[in-house]
Amino acid sequence: MPHAVYLDHNATSPLRPEAFAAMTEAMRDVGNASSVHGFGRRARKRVEDARGAVARLVGAKTQEVVFTSGGTEANNWALIGASPAKLLVSAIEHDSVLAVPGGEPIAVEGSGRLDLADLERKLRGAPAGTLVSVMLANNETGAIQLIDTVVELARQAGALVHCDAVQGIGKLPVDFAGLGVDMLSISAHKLGGPQGLGALVLREGLESAPLLRGGGQEGRRRAGTENVAAIAGFGAAAEAAAEGLAAVAGLAEQRDRFEAALLSAVPKARIFAAESPRLANTSCVAMPGVGAETQVMAFDLAGVAVSSGSACSSGKVAPSHVLAAMGVPPDLAASALRVSLGWNSAPDALDRCLEVWLDLHRRHRERRRIA
């Protein structure tokens, strides 16, 4: 049974009607995009039209966009395919970056932003072929990173830069050329496209060894028959997301009102990364003394879907490595929830969230008094 209020868009956003329509139309057709006959050429056109839409969304050249199975593959490919002599990754990266062997963590500040002084220290004397990987915006706190400064420091050291922009696209204006990064990872389902489809944007002229070999697809950079229907859905979602960027920016007003009301009622509550520029749709808040798992279940019973952080850990509620890297005490981090709005969120969605949050806090206080 669907939730009455869905506030977990950073985990996945509902499929946009434009994407659904494009996918349905593509699935009614037949044709391998690598075939040279008419059916294949029609499939190829769908793929290339979508590639153009995605490229426009992120400010890249069409030929720089290579479709993958999602953000995880894009991140793995960027870090492994580059065969870096040294790999520096921020301590708050997604697990698909942190799990790549050999990465040396870059510290973050309590604000949720990268410690640029630590990056500068680690780049001193770095060997040629060093790669720096820093996300555009954090999936748990929404903190937006200073990618332009990261690129400047990396260039001074002769290093390449990869940026995981999975949470940023569709929520922030993204300009691949303007950012100056060498590689950019994106994913369809975070902006209302289908799950299981993403892309790695590779700066023109940059060589990266493919992870998947055996065919000539994607300009011989990623073997395997293209998922034409999903790619078509990604393209349609990208076009819709580009048109809706202003509306997403407007979500900050709802979020700020929610956070202000929450803190007014419960001054001991904590909003993480509140002092940093954040994604307009994201709030990471702690209810001291009440575990995140208990909160998620209580919200679920009340018909509100929220999460305790990243949704990429097989449903497990585990301590947040992001909050730990920010220096948040373990007991406080264990009580943190992530609330994330999206393209179809109702104007009163956060009002309902606040109501459930305050009711749960009241019941917790009453139980403590009785005990």
Side-chain angles (χ1 to χ4, degrees), residues 258-334:
F258 161 74
E259 292 179 350
L262 191 151
L263 290 173
S264 176
V266 184
K268 289 186 178 180
R270 174 81 177 274
I271 309 295
F272 298 107
E275 64 270 44
S276 296
R278 288 179 291 161
L279 295 174
N281 77 313
T282 304
S283 180
C284 185
V285 56
M287 184 188 297
V290 184
E293 186 171 9
T294 298
Q295 293 182 60
V296 170
M297 289 189 293
F299 271 88
D300 191 52
L301 290 171
V304 179
V306 295
S307 72
S308 61
S310 175
C312 299
S313 55
S314 301
K316 296 180 291 185
V317 178
S320 166
H321 72 277
V322 172
L323 298 182
M326 291 168 58
V328 177
D331 57 339
L332 186 60

Side-chain angles (χ1 to χ4, degrees), residues 20-21 48 89 114 119 124 162 169 202 226 245 266 284:
F20 180 84
E48 298 311 320
V89 301
L114 192 72
L119 171 61
R124 288 184 194 136
H162 163 254
I169 61 163
L202 291 154
E226 288 103 338
L245 281 173
V266 184
C284 185

Side-chain angles (χ1 to χ4, degrees), residues 71-280:
T72 290
E73 183 191 332
N75 284 339
N76 273 221
W77 180 19
L79 272 56
I80 297 170
S83 300
K86 181 176 183 177
L87 177 61
L88 300 175
V89 301
S90 85
I92 57 171
E93 293 301 304
H94 187 269
D95 284 343
S96 58
V97 169
L98 295 176
V100 174
E104 182 181 347
I106 310 162
V108 295
E109 300 173 342
S111 64
R113 279 189 147 183
L114 192 72
D115 184 337
L116 293 168
D118 188 53
L119 171 61
E120 192 170 14
R121 282 192 296 271
K122 288 183 165 66
L123 282 170
R124 288 184 194 136
T130 292
L131 174 64
V132 178
S133 182
V134 177
M135 59 181 19
L136 178 61
N138 186 258
N139 48 307
E140 294 187 28
T141 67
I144 299 169
Q145 303 301 319
L146 292 166
I147 300 300
D148 54 349
T149 307
V150 171
V151 170
E152 182 182 349
L153 292 173
R155 291 292 177 258
Q156 290 171 4
L160 297 175
V161 179
H162 163 254
C163 180
D164 175 355
V166 165
Q167 283 297 341
I169 61 163
K171 303 182 182 89
L172 295 170
V174 176
D175 181 4
F176 177 70
L179 281 174
V181 300
D182 300 286
M183 295 175 282
L184 189 83
S185 299
I186 56 179
S187 182
H189 74 107
K190 304 295 188 179
L191 51 77
Q195 297 179 4
L197 202 283
L200 181 64
V201 185
L202 291 154
R203 176 174 52 78
E204 191 173 23
L206 180 67
E207 296 295 329
S208 182
L211 288 184
L212 302 181
R213 304 166 187 268
Q217 295 88 353
E218 296 301 292
R220 299 193 176 278
R221 293 173 292 184
R222 200 260 187 189
T225 301
E226 288 103 338
N227 186 340
V228 177
I231 289 171
F234 192 2
E239 289 182 339
E243 294 172 1
L245 281 173
V248 174
L251 295 175
E253 183 179 347
Q254 296 180 43
R255 180 203 62 197
D256 293 347
R257 189 170 60 244
F258 161 74
E259 292 179 350
L262 191 151
L263 290 173
S264 176
V266 184
K268 289 186 178 180
R270 174 81 177 274
I271 309 295
F272 298 107
E275 64 270 44
S276 296
R278 288 179 291 161
L279 295 174

